Amino acid sequence: MISNERASPYGHRPYGPPKPHVNEETIRSDKVQIERKTFVFALKENPRGRFLRITEDVGGRRDTIIIPAPGLEDFKKLLEDMVRAAAETPPRTE
């Protein structure tokens, strides 16, 4: 990369043609505010299948992860394990 080129924070690739738009249908969407963060959970579907998109918004900066629907049960189990560990493990006091 040349020093005056920067990767875009908006997902535009600095090379090649842009990705074609994929139509997505939102099946269900909800959000939760935790401290200064907003999390948006959107269950969506496109021609490749269903997926959960989780977007974290902190003061206008967004990060997103996508979990394919076949992995949601594993994701749920892992999340439940983490919630249980957080409740059972006392916080450190320094």
Side-chain angles (χ1 to χ4, degrees):
M1 181 181 304
I2 300 173
S3 63
N4 64 352
E5 291 179 341
R6 288 184 270 178
S8 170
Y10 304 106
H12 299 289
R13 299 181 304 166
Y15 55 88
K19 287 184 172 182
H21 177 73
V22 177
N23 288 331
E24 297 177 348
E25 178 186 342
T26 301
I27 298 166
R28 182 171 178 181
S29 181
D30 209 344
K31 65 180 170 179
V32 61
Q33 179 84 32
I34 302 171
E35 296 178 356
R36 61 185 186 92
K37 298 180 179 192
T38 301
F39 295 93
V40 178
F41 290 74
L43 181 62
K44 295 184 169 258
E45 185 170 30
N46 65 23
R48 293 176 19 200
R50 286 187 175 182
F51 57 94
L52 177 65
R53 176 178 287 145
I54 303 172
T55 302
E56 171 195 38
D57 187 327
V58 182
R61 180 167 178 247
R62 292 187 178 141
D63 291 305
T64 299
I65 64 168
I66 294 174
I67 301 142
L72 287 175
E73 280 297 324
D74 289 338
F75 187 82
K76 177 184 168 190
K77 182 183 178 315
L78 182 62
L79 184 58
E80 288 170 343
D81 291 346
M82 294 295 176
V83 169
R84 193 170 19 263
E88 294 170 353
T89 307
R92 291 184 182 179
T93 54
E94 294 182 40

